[in-house]
Amino acid sequence: MIKSIITYLFIGVIFTLMVDWSTEYARKKGIPVPPEAEFDNETRLFAIAIWPIGVVYFAYGYFKERLKKNKK
């Protein structure tokens, strides 16, 4: 049971790091990043706790943009 909880939280940490890194990468490439995309520590803890929902939203936005670019 405790191993499952630790694994869940570890995946949440990895997901949160990926979001932080991708936001920073987008900013370096000149892509506009909205201010609400910035994570503070409270938001990071929240994202770690509910990372599966974040993955769903990320996948939705990613595929939505990919499909939009393919239609052009």
Side-chain angles (χ1 to χ4, degrees):
M1 176 70 176
I2 194 79
K3 186 177 180 181
S4 299
I5 293 171
I6 291 172
T7 302
Y8 179 86
L9 293 176
F10 181 71
I11 294 170
V13 168
I14 298 299
F15 171 73
T16 305
L17 282 172
M18 288 174 50
V19 170
D20 280 340
W21 288 340
S22 63
T23 303
E24 187 62 31
Y25 180 77
R27 186 174 286 113
K28 285 181 182 177
K29 289 293 186 178
I31 299 169
V33 178
E36 58 270 6
E38 289 296 319
F39 281 4
D40 57 359
N41 288 336
E42 185 178 300
T43 308
R44 282 185 185 95
L45 289 174
F46 187 69
I48 289 169
I50 63 159
W51 66 265
I53 296 170
V55 169
V56 169
Y57 276 103
F58 175 80
Y60 174 74
Y62 178 79
F63 289 118
K64 181 179 169 184
E65 286 297 315
R66 283 293 181 181
L67 291 175
K68 188 185 327 180
K69 288 181 181 180
N70 288 339
K71 288 182 180 180
K72 288 183 179 181

